[in-house]
């Protein structure tokens, strides 16, 4: 793929997640779930629906789903990058998180 230095373009993110730093799991703020677990648990309730916009291939909310204190939580992930969405779909298939739903921006309605 050609170099695209414009983060406002879809192509930039396709390259980022297929060939760049985002090839594997990528956390934007270099935080791990354990660092923010207590904060998240203050604001998340059982049975809640969470919409994560621009999810990329982050695992933070997946780990929240795996946390014993968050049963019946439903996470909806959406991203402009088809590559990132496919990475998440494949990972969810392996982990079998029925409560995580993936969507490519502009192609699916959630809800």
């Amino acid at each position: 793929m050609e170099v695209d230095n414009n983060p406002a373009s879809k192509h930039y993110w396709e390259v980022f997640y297929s060939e760049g730093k985002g090839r594997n799991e990528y956390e934007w703020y270099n935080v791990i779930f354990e660092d923010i677990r207590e904060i998240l648990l203050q604001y998340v309730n059982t049975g809640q629906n969470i919409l994560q916009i621009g999810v990329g291939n982050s695992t933070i909310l997946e780990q929240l789903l795996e946390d014993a204190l968050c049963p019946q939580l439903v996470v909806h992930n959406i991203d402009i990058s088809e590559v990132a969405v496919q990475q998440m779909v494949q990972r969810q298939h392996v982990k079998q998180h029925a409560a995580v739903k993936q969507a490519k921006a502009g192609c699916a309605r959630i809800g």
Side-chain angles (χ1 to χ4, degrees):
M1 288 187 176
E2 65 189 56
V3 175
D4 183 349
N5 293 322
N6 181 3
S9 75
K10 178 180 179 190
H11 184 257
Y12 175 91
W13 296 109
E14 297 297 1
V15 172
F16 181 86
Y17 289 111
S18 63
E19 300 174 12
K21 288 182 181 179
R23 280 189 314 265
N24 300 308
E25 168 191 334
Y26 187 80
E27 299 298 343
W28 285 100
Y29 299 105
N30 291 319
V31 296
I32 58 175
F33 175 69
E34 291 77 23
D35 292 341
I36 60 173
R37 179 182 181 272
E38 295 304 317
I39 295 168
L40 289 173
L41 291 175
Q42 288 177 29
Y43 297 100
V44 174
N45 298 309
T46 297
Q48 236 175 351
N49 283 281
I50 296 176
L51 174 61
Q52 188 171 210
I53 300 170
V55 66
N57 57 14
S58 172
T59 63
I60 298 251
L61 288 182
E62 288 175 38
Q63 293 174 64
L64 184 64
L65 283 170
E66 293 167 359
D67 193 290
L69 298 176
C70 295
Q72 299 175 359
L73 185 66
V74 178
V75 176
H76 302 273
N77 291 327
I78 190 166
D79 201 281
I80 193 169
S81 170
E82 292 179 47
V83 172
V85 170
Q86 278 306 324
Q87 288 173 355
M88 295 290 278
V89 167
Q90 289 171 358
R91 196 164 65 218
Q92 295 313 307
H93 181 71
V94 169
K95 289 186 173 185
Q96 298 181 357
H97 281 271
V100 177
K101 308 195 183 329
Q102 312 294 342
K104 182 175 62 172
C107 256
R109 239 175 84 203
I110 299 176

